[in-house]
Amino acid sequence: MSTEPVVLHGPDIGAGGGGFYDRLRCEHGPVIPVLLEGDVPAWLVIGYRELQDVLTRPDTFARDSRRWNAWDRVPPDWPLMPLVMPMPTVLNAEGEEHRRRAGAIAEALAAIDQHELRTVTTRFADRLIDGFCAAGSADLRAAYSSRLPALVLAWAYGLEEEHGDALATVMTTMLDGGPDSMAAQGTLLAEMTALVAARRAAPGPDVVSHLIGHREEFTDEELIPELIVLLGGGHQPTGEWIGNALRLMLTDDRFGASLSGSRLSVSEALNEVLWEDTPTQIYAGRFAAHDVDLGGHRVRTGDLILLGLAGANRDPALHRVPGGHQANRSHLSFSHGDHRCPHSAREMAEIIAVTAVEVLLDRLPDLELAVPAGELRWRPSPWMRGVTGLPVVFSSAPPLHSPPL
């Protein structure tokens, strides 16, 4: 096995999808030394068993990024800073503080009525489709899948519809880890600061007001970054989940029946995507609380450990049959252990995704790709998996002119 670090940045990293992780596994095994932007070292875990070990041993593989031993190697404007910055949020918290924050978030999201969520998602979906249905062609990623989750999340925060698209653009810029990521984070901080002040003055039936009124009595300094975390976890991964499922259904003959009305194929496609093209490919991360052996390597105290969710889902040790795991939900796409995605958040994402695909196929049942499948291009990112565009053609249809919410 090679011990040379793998460069995990550059214009072509991430576009290879599952094949990229299969190659890494053959050459390096389940745990891989990698170099991030600026040749900052880290460990990438792509073994299913090894990743479960990391995710279920918080005393050894801790979450607080203040433990990182490479802070002296990264400049303040490091493009990946938003992914590792020590902020007082549920992502960085440990022990009782993490349970306190995670419990409040789960309760706030669980308070959203699921029937109302489906209704709102359907209306936003119809409104977006109204914007392109008469044209007979569209880029589904730009016009639909990347916009819908942001609109629903803005509604959940009690924001006006126009805020949804703006938040989507800024959130994508921050999570892409490019040169403008820190500026985007500053914009989000300002937006959430203003929102918290408005909700303290005039509470409403929304997630922000629920957190403000929670028995834990969060301060503004605690709430504001937490709201950004919720947006980041809910917007881009859900949008790419929708887009990747639509790509699968439009390119794989096994899902062709869905285009003539089969509902079962929608849930099957969404689950298969979580195995084969999960939106969150790599997640940062964990930090070794002490020296430890992991996958045949000696990991030192403070080392950064990247969670290779996509690679672990493809581990041959799972003995999966390609295309035969639609009912199997043991993937790690929502993480695992104490810091896994809350159940209420997973339910919310699934409602949005299922509704998005079903409404689109109901409205435009003869959707077809406008280009050969081989011409679709994946985002050049090791962090998120999604196509750069999803051009389609269909029979022109009149808009519904959905009523306002």
Side-chain angles (χ1 to χ4, degrees):
M1 291 289 180
S2 173
T3 59
E4 287 296 312
V6 173
V7 176
L8 204 62
H9 60 89
D12 298 322
I13 294 296
F20 172 69
Y21 299 106
D22 295 343
R23 186 170 64 254
L24 287 184
R25 196 186 323 275
C26 289
E27 296 174 355
H28 298 269
V31 178
I32 305 155
V34 297
L35 296 174
L36 304 176
E37 279 82 351
D39 288 339
V40 175
W43 298 98
L44 174 62
V45 182
I46 62 171
Y48 189 91
R49 183 182 61 185
E50 290 78 8
L51 188 52
Q52 279 199 320
D53 188 33
V54 169
L55 294 171
T56 54
R57 294 172 60 192
D59 292 339
T60 298
F61 304 102
R63 190 61 187 91
D64 192 337
S65 61
R66 289 175 297 181
R67 300 174 182 270
W68 195 18
N69 59 19
W71 278 116
D72 60 340
R73 302 185 60 167
V74 299
D77 61 348
W78 194 50
L80 299 180
M81 187 66 77
L83 303 181
V84 297
M85 179 180 290
M87 297 182 71
T89 70
V90 69
L91 294 183
N92 278 345
E94 298 175 358
E96 185 55 41
E97 178 62 17
H98 174 262
R99 286 187 285 273
R100 168 180 175 257
R101 291 173 176 271
I105 290 171
E107 288 179 22
L109 295 179
I112 299 174
D113 180 82
Q114 292 193 356
H115 176 74
E116 184 178 13
L117 176 62
R118 287 189 183 90
T119 300
V120 168
T121 304
T122 298
R123 290 185 181 178
F124 276 133
D126 277 329
R127 194 169 304 171
L128 290 175
I129 295 168
D130 279 354
F132 58 78
C133 62
S137 64
D139 178 351
L140 289 182
R141 184 180 192 276
Y144 191 68
S145 64
S146 67
R147 296 179 63 190
L148 182 58
L151 293 173
V152 178
L153 287 168
W155 163 81
Y157 275 27
L159 291 168
E160 297 296 328
E161 181 177 338
E162 60 268 18
H163 279 82
D165 279 333
L167 287 175
T169 299
V170 177
M171 186 62 64
T172 297
T173 301
M174 186 186 79
L175 294 179
D176 277 352
D180 298 323
S181 61
M182 289 301 294
Q185 186 181 59
T187 299
L188 282 169
L189 283 169
E191 289 280 346
M192 293 302 104
T193 298
L195 176 59
V196 169
R199 291 295 174 270
R200 285 202 185 276
D206 54 75
V207 169
V208 181
S209 298
H210 190 101
L211 285 171
I212 288 173
H214 196 271
R215 59 185 175 276
E216 294 292 350
E217 298 182 346
F218 292 103
T219 66
D220 287 6
E221 290 72 22
E222 291 175 314
L223 275 175
I224 290 165
E226 212 73 89
L227 294 175
I228 294 176
V229 165
L230 285 176
L231 281 175
H235 160 239
Q236 196 169 123
T238 307
E240 301 298 14
W241 191 15
I242 295 167
N244 292 352
L246 288 171
R247 184 207 66 83
L248 175 64
M249 297 178 77
L250 290 166
T251 59
D252 192 318
D253 290 341
R254 291 177 300 127
F255 295 95
S258 65
L259 301 184
S260 61
S262 170
R263 291 297 131 234
L264 182 61
S265 288
V266 172
S267 60
E268 288 177 347
L270 286 165
N271 191 51
E272 180 159 331
V273 160
L274 293 178
W275 279 105
E276 302 293 344
D277 287 311
T278 189
T280 304
Q281 298 276 289
I282 300 174
Y283 196 81
R286 298 292 187 270
F287 303 86
H290 53 76
D291 289 3
V292 62
D293 290 325
L294 180 64
H297 295 274
R298 189 63 172 172
V299 176
R300 299 298 181 182
T301 303
D303 280 0
L304 169 59
I305 300 162
L306 303 176
L307 313 180
L309 306 176
N313 285 347
R314 294 182 61 86
D315 193 331
L318 296 177
H319 301 292
R320 292 188 298 104
V321 177
H325 46 62
Q326 287 90 350
N328 186 338
R329 296 179 181 268
S330 59
H331 56 73
L332 297 177
S333 295
F334 292 111
S335 193
H336 188 64
D338 291 348
H339 279 267
R340 65 189 178 276
C341 183
H343 181 70
S344 53
R346 297 198 303 271
E347 284 188 328
M348 184 175 181
E350 186 165 3
I351 288 171
I352 295 171
V354 169
T355 304
V357 177
E358 289 186 345
V359 171
L360 182 68
L361 298 184
D362 281 341
R363 293 281 305 273
L364 305 172
D366 62 348
L367 276 173
E368 293 182 358
L369 279 179
V371 299
E375 292 185 11
L376 296 176
R377 293 293 176 262
W378 295 98
R379 293 173 56 182
S381 168
W383 309 98
M384 297 296 298
R385 177 77 165 164
V387 289
T388 58
L390 194 59
V392 295
V393 293
F394 46 84
S395 298
S396 177
L400 296 179
H401 300 296
S402 303
L405 297 173

